[in-house]
Amino acid sequence: LNHFFDQVGNEQGVAYRVLTASSCVPIPGFDVERLPTWAQKPCRDQIAAVAKALPEVDRVIVAGMWQYQMQSQAFTKALTDFLSATAGANKNVVVLAQVPMFETDVQRVRRFTELVLSAPLTFNREWQAANQQVKAIADRTPGVRFLDFSSSSFFAAAPYEQGLLIYRDSHHLNEVGASRYGHYAAQQLQRAFDQPQSNVSLKP
C-alpha cells in the first residue's frame, strides 16, 4: 500500500496517509478479537488513528483482503456502517477491490519460467466472490465508489506485467508491482474522485 499510494500521490499531486495493520481494516466496529493476540493492539491503535484523522481529510480509500475479512458478519456490518457514515459526512469514498490471488507459488512459477519450463498457474477463486460482496455494499451506499481493476489489462498476465514479476507471494504485490499498479490506477482514481457524489461503481 505504501508504494502504491506513493505513486498515486506523486502523479496526482496529493499526499496520502496509509493507516493499516496486519489482518486489520482499521474502522470502528472492526471485530479485533478474531485476530491473533499479537495483532490486536496494533489494530486498535490504527482504528483510533483513523478516527482521529477522518475529520481532517476529504478523500478516503478503503482496501483490504476481502476474502478474509468478509467471512466475518461483524466486519460486514462494520464496513457497511463505516462507508455510510463516512460518505454521509461528505467525504469522497472509494473502495478498492482485492487484487487477484493465486493458489500457486508465484516464485516457483518465476523459477520455472526462467528455466523455460511450463509451470501451472492456478487462481484462488474466493477473492472474486468476496469482491462481489464488497461491491454490493458499496453500490447500495450513496456516495461510495467501488473500483475493480482485477479484470483489467494490468492483471491480464498476472503474476507478470510487461514481463516483470509483480507479485511477492500468492496475494501480495512486490515493490515493483505496487508502484506499477499505482501508476495504472492513479488516473482512474482521480476520475472517481472528480465525479459528482452519487452511487456509482467503476470497473475499468
Side-chain angles (χ1 to χ4, degrees):
L1 287 175
N2 283 309
H3 292 294
F4 175 86
F5 283 112
D6 280 349
Q7 187 68 39
V8 171
N10 285 337
E11 297 193 19
Q12 293 181 349
V14 173
Y16 284 98
R17 181 181 178 191
V18 178
L19 294 168
T20 187
S22 181
S23 303
C24 171
V25 179
I27 58 176
F30 183 89
D31 46 336
V32 178
E33 298 76 15
R34 68 184 164 93
L35 300 183
T37 303
W38 59 266
Q40 292 184 14
K41 184 180 185 302
C43 184
R44 289 192 177 96
D45 289 345
Q46 292 295 68
I47 291 171
V50 167
K52 184 177 180 181
L54 271 178
E56 309 299 325
V57 302
D58 55 10
R59 295 180 177 185
V60 177
I61 300 174
V62 185
M65 186 178 178
W66 302 129
Q67 72 186 77
Y68 169 66
Q69 304 296 353
M70 294 303 289
Q71 297 176 38
S72 164
Q73 290 185 348
F75 173 78
T76 300
K77 181 180 186 306
L79 179 64
T80 301
D81 292 346
F82 177 77
L83 295 180
S84 179
T86 306
N90 296 317
K91 309 290 184 185
N92 289 304
V93 183
V94 167
V95 181
L96 288 180
Q98 179 182 333
V99 301
M101 180 174 175
F102 297 93
E103 294 287 356
T104 313
D105 180 342
V106 297
Q107 295 298 334
R108 182 173 182 271
V109 172
R110 177 187 61 81
R111 290 193 295 270
F112 273 62
T113 301
E114 290 175 352
L115 293 169
V116 198
L117 298 172
S118 62
L121 187 64
T122 307
F123 277 108
N124 173 297
R125 295 298 177 184
E126 293 177 9
W127 59 271
Q128 293 173 314
N131 274 348
Q132 289 304 307
Q133 288 179 278
V134 176
K135 179 182 182 296
I137 294 172
D139 283 355
R140 65 174 179 259
T141 308
V144 176
R145 301 156 177 84
F146 182 80
L147 275 178
D148 185 355
F149 299 103
S150 62
S151 298
S152 71
S153 60
F154 183 81
F155 289 106
Y160 290 88
E161 199 266 337
Q162 295 184 7
L164 287 180
L165 186 69
I166 58 172
Y167 275 73
R168 177 168 58 86
D169 56 25
S170 65
H171 58 290
H172 289 102
L173 298 181
N174 59 26
E175 185 175 327
V176 170
S179 295
R180 284 189 169 210
Y181 187 31
H183 173 70
Y184 180 86
Q187 186 175 2
Q188 297 181 74
L189 267 171
Q190 186 63 55
R191 188 181 66 192
F193 283 128
D194 288 344
Q195 289 184 352
Q197 285 278 40
S198 62
N199 188 14
V200 59
S201 179
L202 302 173
K203 188 168 185 177

